[in-house]
Short mmCIF file of all heavy atoms in Angstrom, two decimals:
data_model
loop_
_atom_site.label_atom_id
_atom_site.label_comp_id
_atom_site.label_asym_id
_atom_site.label_seq_id
_atom_site.Cartn_x
_atom_site.Cartn_y
_atom_site.Cartn_z
N ALA F 1 -23.43 33.41 -26.19
CA ALA F 1 -22.97 32.19 -26.86
C ALA F 1 -21.49 32.25 -27.10
O ALA F 1 -20.76 31.26 -26.95
CB ALA F 1 -23.74 32.01 -28.17
N THR F 2 -21.02 33.42 -27.49
CA THR F 2 -19.58 33.58 -27.75
C THR F 2 -18.79 33.38 -26.47
O THR F 2 -17.76 32.69 -26.45
CB THR F 2 -19.29 34.97 -28.33
OG1 THR F 2 -20.04 35.12 -29.52
CG2 THR F 2 -17.82 35.14 -28.62
N LYS F 3 -19.30 33.96 -25.35
CA LYS F 3 -18.60 33.80 -24.08
C LYS F 3 -18.63 32.34 -23.62
O LYS F 3 -17.65 31.82 -23.08
CB LYS F 3 -19.25 34.68 -23.02
CG LYS F 3 -19.00 36.17 -23.25
CD LYS F 3 -19.71 36.99 -22.17
CE LYS F 3 -19.46 38.48 -22.39
NZ LYS F 3 -20.16 39.29 -21.37
N GLY F 4 -19.80 31.66 -23.83
CA GLY F 4 -19.89 30.24 -23.43
C GLY F 4 -18.92 29.39 -24.20
O GLY F 4 -18.26 28.51 -23.66
N ALA F 5 -18.84 29.65 -25.51
CA ALA F 5 -17.89 28.90 -26.33
C ALA F 5 -16.47 29.16 -25.87
O ALA F 5 -15.64 28.26 -25.80
CB ALA F 5 -18.07 29.27 -27.80
N ALA F 6 -16.22 30.41 -25.53
CA ALA F 6 -14.87 30.75 -25.06
C ALA F 6 -14.56 30.06 -23.75
O ALA F 6 -13.45 29.57 -23.53
CB ALA F 6 -14.74 32.27 -24.92
N ALA F 7 -15.57 30.04 -22.84
CA ALA F 7 -15.36 29.38 -21.55
C ALA F 7 -15.11 27.89 -21.74
O ALA F 7 -14.26 27.29 -21.08
CB ALA F 7 -16.58 29.60 -20.65
N HIS F 8 -15.89 27.26 -22.64
CA HIS F 8 -15.70 25.83 -22.91
C HIS F 8 -14.30 25.57 -23.45
O HIS F 8 -13.61 24.63 -23.03
CB HIS F 8 -16.75 25.34 -23.91
CG HIS F 8 -16.56 23.90 -24.31
ND1 HIS F 8 -16.91 22.86 -23.49
CD2 HIS F 8 -16.05 23.37 -25.46
CE1 HIS F 8 -16.63 21.73 -24.09
NE2 HIS F 8 -16.11 22.01 -25.29
N GLN F 9 -13.88 26.46 -24.39
CA GLN F 9 -12.54 26.30 -24.95
C GLN F 9 -11.48 26.50 -23.88
O GLN F 9 -10.48 25.79 -23.84
CB GLN F 9 -12.35 27.30 -26.10
CG GLN F 9 -13.21 26.98 -27.33
CD GLN F 9 -13.14 28.07 -28.37
OE1 GLN F 9 -12.50 29.11 -28.14
NE2 GLN F 9 -13.80 27.85 -29.49
N THR F 10 -11.76 27.45 -22.95
CA THR F 10 -10.79 27.69 -21.87
C THR F 10 -10.70 26.48 -20.96
O THR F 10 -9.62 26.06 -20.56
CB THR F 10 -11.21 28.93 -21.06
OG1 THR F 10 -11.27 30.06 -21.92
CG2 THR F 10 -10.21 29.20 -19.93
N GLY F 11 -11.92 25.88 -20.59
CA GLY F 11 -11.91 24.69 -19.74
C GLY F 11 -11.21 23.54 -20.41
O GLY F 11 -10.42 22.82 -19.79
N ALA F 12 -11.52 23.33 -21.69
CA ALA F 12 -10.86 22.24 -22.42
C ALA F 12 -9.37 22.48 -22.48
O ALA F 12 -8.56 21.55 -22.34
CB ALA F 12 -11.45 22.16 -23.83
N ALA F 13 -9.02 23.75 -22.70
CA ALA F 13 -7.59 24.07 -22.76
C ALA F 13 -6.94 23.81 -21.41
O ALA F 13 -5.80 23.32 -21.33
CB ALA F 13 -7.40 25.53 -23.18
N ARG F 14 -7.70 24.12 -20.29
CA ARG F 14 -7.14 23.90 -18.97
C ARG F 14 -6.85 22.42 -18.75
O ARG F 14 -5.80 22.04 -18.23
CB ARG F 14 -8.12 24.41 -17.91
CG ARG F 14 -7.54 24.37 -16.49
CD ARG F 14 -8.59 24.73 -15.45
NE ARG F 14 -9.19 26.02 -15.72
CZ ARG F 14 -10.47 26.19 -16.00
NH1 ARG F 14 -11.28 25.14 -16.06
NH2 ARG F 14 -10.98 27.38 -16.26
N HIS F 15 -7.85 21.56 -19.12
CA HIS F 15 -7.65 20.11 -18.96
C HIS F 15 -6.52 19.62 -19.84
O HIS F 15 -5.74 18.76 -19.45
CB HIS F 15 -8.94 19.35 -19.29
CG HIS F 15 -9.99 19.48 -18.23
ND1 HIS F 15 -9.74 19.22 -16.91
CD2 HIS F 15 -11.29 19.88 -18.31
CE1 HIS F 15 -10.85 19.42 -16.20
NE2 HIS F 15 -11.81 19.84 -17.04
N SER F 16 -6.45 20.17 -21.05
CA SER F 16 -5.41 19.70 -21.97
C SER F 16 -4.03 20.15 -21.53
O SER F 16 -3.04 19.47 -21.79
CB SER F 16 -5.71 20.20 -23.40
OG SER F 16 -5.64 21.61 -23.44
N LEU F 17 -3.98 21.29 -20.84
CA LEU F 17 -2.67 21.80 -20.38
C LEU F 17 -2.26 21.17 -19.05
O LEU F 17 -1.06 21.09 -18.76
CB LEU F 17 -2.74 23.33 -20.24
CG LEU F 17 -2.88 24.11 -21.55
CD1 LEU F 17 -3.06 25.59 -21.25
CD2 LEU F 17 -1.70 23.87 -22.46
N ALA F 18 -3.25 20.70 -18.22
CA ALA F 18 -2.92 20.11 -16.93
C ALA F 18 -2.23 18.77 -17.12
O ALA F 18 -2.47 18.04 -18.08
CB ALA F 18 -4.19 19.92 -16.11
N THR F 19 -1.34 18.45 -16.16
CA THR F 19 -0.64 17.16 -16.21
C THR F 19 -1.66 16.03 -16.03
O THR F 19 -2.44 16.04 -15.08
CB THR F 19 0.41 17.07 -15.10
OG1 THR F 19 1.33 18.14 -15.25
CG2 THR F 19 1.14 15.74 -15.14
N PRO F 20 -1.71 15.07 -16.93
CA PRO F 20 -2.69 13.98 -16.81
C PRO F 20 -2.52 13.23 -15.49
O PRO F 20 -1.40 13.05 -15.00
CB PRO F 20 -2.37 13.09 -18.02
CG PRO F 20 -1.69 13.99 -18.99
CD PRO F 20 -0.90 14.96 -18.16
N GLU F 21 -3.64 12.79 -14.92
CA GLU F 21 -3.62 11.97 -13.70
C GLU F 21 -3.26 10.54 -14.09
O GLU F 21 -3.60 10.06 -15.18
CB GLU F 21 -5.00 12.00 -13.05
CG GLU F 21 -5.10 11.26 -11.73
CD GLU F 21 -4.36 11.93 -10.61
OE1 GLU F 21 -3.10 11.77 -10.59
OE2 GLU F 21 -4.98 12.61 -9.77
N THR F 22 -2.54 9.84 -13.22
CA THR F 22 -2.21 8.43 -13.46
C THR F 22 -2.42 7.64 -12.18
O THR F 22 -2.41 8.19 -11.07
CB THR F 22 -0.74 8.25 -13.92
OG1 THR F 22 0.14 8.79 -12.91
CG2 THR F 22 -0.49 8.95 -15.24
N VAL F 23 -2.62 6.35 -12.34
CA VAL F 23 -2.74 5.43 -11.19
C VAL F 23 -1.37 4.86 -10.89
O VAL F 23 -0.75 4.21 -11.75
CB VAL F 23 -3.75 4.30 -11.49
CG1 VAL F 23 -3.75 3.29 -10.35
CG2 VAL F 23 -5.14 4.87 -11.70
N MET F 24 -0.88 5.10 -9.69
CA MET F 24 0.44 4.61 -9.29
C MET F 24 0.37 3.16 -8.81
O MET F 24 1.25 2.36 -9.11
CB MET F 24 1.01 5.49 -8.18
CG MET F 24 1.08 6.98 -8.54
SD MET F 24 2.09 7.28 -10.01
CE MET F 24 3.72 6.86 -9.39
N SER F 25 -0.70 2.79 -8.08
CA SER F 25 -0.83 1.42 -7.59
C SER F 25 -2.25 1.15 -7.14
O SER F 25 -2.99 2.06 -6.77
CB SER F 25 0.13 1.16 -6.42
OG SER F 25 -0.23 1.95 -5.29
N VAL F 26 -2.62 -0.14 -7.20
CA VAL F 26 -3.88 -0.64 -6.64
C VAL F 26 -3.53 -1.78 -5.70
O VAL F 26 -2.77 -2.68 -6.06
CB VAL F 26 -4.84 -1.12 -7.74
CG1 VAL F 26 -6.12 -1.68 -7.11
CG2 VAL F 26 -5.18 -0.01 -8.72
N THR F 27 -4.08 -1.75 -4.49
CA THR F 27 -3.83 -2.80 -3.50
C THR F 27 -5.17 -3.36 -3.02
O THR F 27 -6.04 -2.59 -2.62
CB THR F 27 -3.05 -2.24 -2.30
OG1 THR F 27 -1.85 -1.62 -2.74
CG2 THR F 27 -2.70 -3.36 -1.31
N PRO F 28 -5.35 -4.70 -3.11
CA PRO F 28 -4.44 -5.74 -3.57
C PRO F 28 -4.09 -5.59 -5.05
O PRO F 28 -4.90 -5.11 -5.84
CB PRO F 28 -5.22 -7.04 -3.33
CG PRO F 28 -6.26 -6.68 -2.31
CD PRO F 28 -6.62 -5.27 -2.59
N ALA F 29 -2.87 -6.00 -5.39
CA ALA F 29 -2.40 -5.86 -6.76
C ALA F 29 -3.17 -6.76 -7.71
O ALA F 29 -3.83 -7.73 -7.30
CB ALA F 29 -0.91 -6.19 -6.82
N ASP F 30 -3.09 -6.41 -8.99
CA ASP F 30 -3.80 -7.17 -10.01
C ASP F 30 -3.40 -8.64 -9.97
O ASP F 30 -2.21 -8.98 -9.86
CB ASP F 30 -3.48 -6.58 -11.39
CG ASP F 30 -4.41 -7.09 -12.48
OD1 ASP F 30 -5.54 -7.50 -12.16
OD2 ASP F 30 -4.01 -7.04 -13.66
N HIS F 31 -4.39 -9.54 -10.03
CA HIS F 31 -4.22 -10.99 -10.05
C HIS F 31 -3.70 -11.57 -8.73
O HIS F 31 -3.19 -12.69 -8.70
CB HIS F 31 -3.30 -11.42 -11.21
CG HIS F 31 -3.91 -11.20 -12.55
ND1 HIS F 31 -3.63 -10.09 -13.33
CD2 HIS F 31 -4.82 -11.93 -13.25
CE1 HIS F 31 -4.31 -10.15 -14.45
NE2 HIS F 31 -5.05 -11.25 -14.42
N THR F 32 -3.85 -10.83 -7.62
CA THR F 32 -3.47 -11.37 -6.32
C THR F 32 -4.47 -12.43 -5.89
O THR F 32 -5.68 -12.26 -6.05
CB THR F 32 -3.40 -10.26 -5.26
OG1 THR F 32 -2.43 -9.29 -5.66
CG2 THR F 32 -3.01 -10.82 -3.90
N LEU F 33 -3.97 -13.53 -5.32
CA LEU F 33 -4.81 -14.63 -4.85
C LEU F 33 -4.84 -14.66 -3.32
O LEU F 33 -3.99 -14.08 -2.67
CB LEU F 33 -4.29 -15.96 -5.38
CG LEU F 33 -4.12 -16.10 -6.89
CD1 LEU F 33 -3.54 -17.47 -7.23
CD2 LEU F 33 -5.44 -15.88 -7.62
N ASN F 34 -5.83 -15.36 -2.78
CA ASN F 34 -5.93 -15.63 -1.35
C ASN F 34 -5.95 -14.37 -0.50
O ASN F 34 -5.31 -14.28 0.56
CB ASN F 34 -4.78 -16.54 -0.89
CG ASN F 34 -4.81 -17.88 -1.58
OD1 ASN F 34 -5.87 -18.48 -1.74
ND2 ASN F 34 -3.65 -18.36 -2.01
N VAL F 35 -6.71 -13.37 -0.96
CA VAL F 35 -6.82 -12.12 -0.22
C VAL F 35 -7.85 -12.27 0.90
O VAL F 35 -8.88 -12.91 0.73
CB VAL F 35 -7.25 -10.98 -1.18
CG1 VAL F 35 -7.57 -9.69 -0.41
CG2 VAL F 35 -6.17 -10.73 -2.22
N ASN F 36 -7.57 -11.68 2.06
CA ASN F 36 -8.54 -11.60 3.14
C ASN F 36 -9.65 -10.66 2.69
O ASN F 36 -9.42 -9.48 2.42
CB ASN F 36 -7.87 -11.08 4.41
CG ASN F 36 -8.80 -11.09 5.62
OD1 ASN F 36 -9.96 -10.75 5.53
ND2 ASN F 36 -8.25 -11.46 6.77
N GLY F 37 -10.86 -11.17 2.59
CA GLY F 37 -11.96 -10.39 2.03
C GLY F 37 -12.38 -9.19 2.84
O GLY F 37 -13.21 -8.40 2.38
N THR F 38 -11.85 -9.02 4.04
CA THR F 38 -12.18 -7.85 4.86
C THR F 38 -11.12 -6.77 4.77
O THR F 38 -11.28 -5.72 5.41
CB THR F 38 -12.38 -8.26 6.33
OG1 THR F 38 -11.14 -8.80 6.84
CG2 THR F 38 -13.46 -9.31 6.47
N ASP F 39 -10.06 -7.01 4.01
CA ASP F 39 -8.99 -6.01 3.89
C ASP F 39 -9.46 -4.79 3.11
O ASP F 39 -10.35 -4.89 2.25
CB ASP F 39 -7.77 -6.61 3.19
CG ASP F 39 -7.01 -7.59 4.08
OD1 ASP F 39 -7.30 -7.63 5.29
OD2 ASP F 39 -6.14 -8.31 3.56
N ALA F 40 -8.83 -3.64 3.38
CA ALA F 40 -9.14 -2.41 2.64
C ALA F 40 -8.60 -2.51 1.22
O ALA F 40 -7.61 -3.20 0.96
CB ALA F 40 -8.53 -1.22 3.35
N ILE F 41 -9.28 -1.84 0.29
CA ILE F 41 -8.82 -1.72 -1.09
C ILE F 41 -8.28 -0.30 -1.26
O ILE F 41 -9.01 0.67 -0.99
CB ILE F 41 -9.96 -1.99 -2.08
CG1 ILE F 41 -10.48 -3.42 -1.90
CG2 ILE F 41 -9.51 -1.76 -3.52
CD1 ILE F 41 -11.75 -3.72 -2.68
N ARG F 42 -7.03 -0.16 -1.69
CA ARG F 42 -6.39 1.15 -1.75
C ARG F 42 -5.92 1.47 -3.17
O ARG F 42 -5.38 0.60 -3.86
CB ARG F 42 -5.21 1.20 -0.78
CG ARG F 42 -4.46 2.52 -0.75
CD ARG F 42 -3.45 2.58 0.37
NE ARG F 42 -4.09 2.59 1.68
CZ ARG F 42 -3.47 2.96 2.80
NH1 ARG F 42 -2.21 3.34 2.76
NH2 ARG F 42 -4.11 2.94 3.95
N VAL F 43 -6.14 2.74 -3.59
CA VAL F 43 -5.69 3.21 -4.90
C VAL F 43 -4.87 4.48 -4.67
O VAL F 43 -5.33 5.41 -4.01
CB VAL F 43 -6.87 3.50 -5.84
CG1 VAL F 43 -6.35 3.92 -7.22
CG2 VAL F 43 -7.78 2.29 -5.96
#
């Protein structure tokens, strides 16, 4: 139990120390009109 708690704390610490992920862009952009419905959606 002690090791599990330590591992959980280590994982949480890893996530907290890692640089947060962010979304740079979504295509088609938000509120875009008249999109061709067969186009790819890219993030």
Side-chain angles (χ1 to χ4, degrees):
T2 301
K3 290 179 180 179
H8 177 76
Q9 292 172 356
T10 301
R14 187 186 305 117
H15 286 308
S16 64
L17 292 175
T19 301
E21 184 70 282
T22 59
V23 174
M24 305 301 292
S25 66
V26 178
T27 305
D30 193 24
H31 292 98
T32 300
L33 305 178
N34 299 317
V35 172
N36 185 319
T38 62
D39 287 349
I41 299 171
R42 180 171 293 197
V43 183

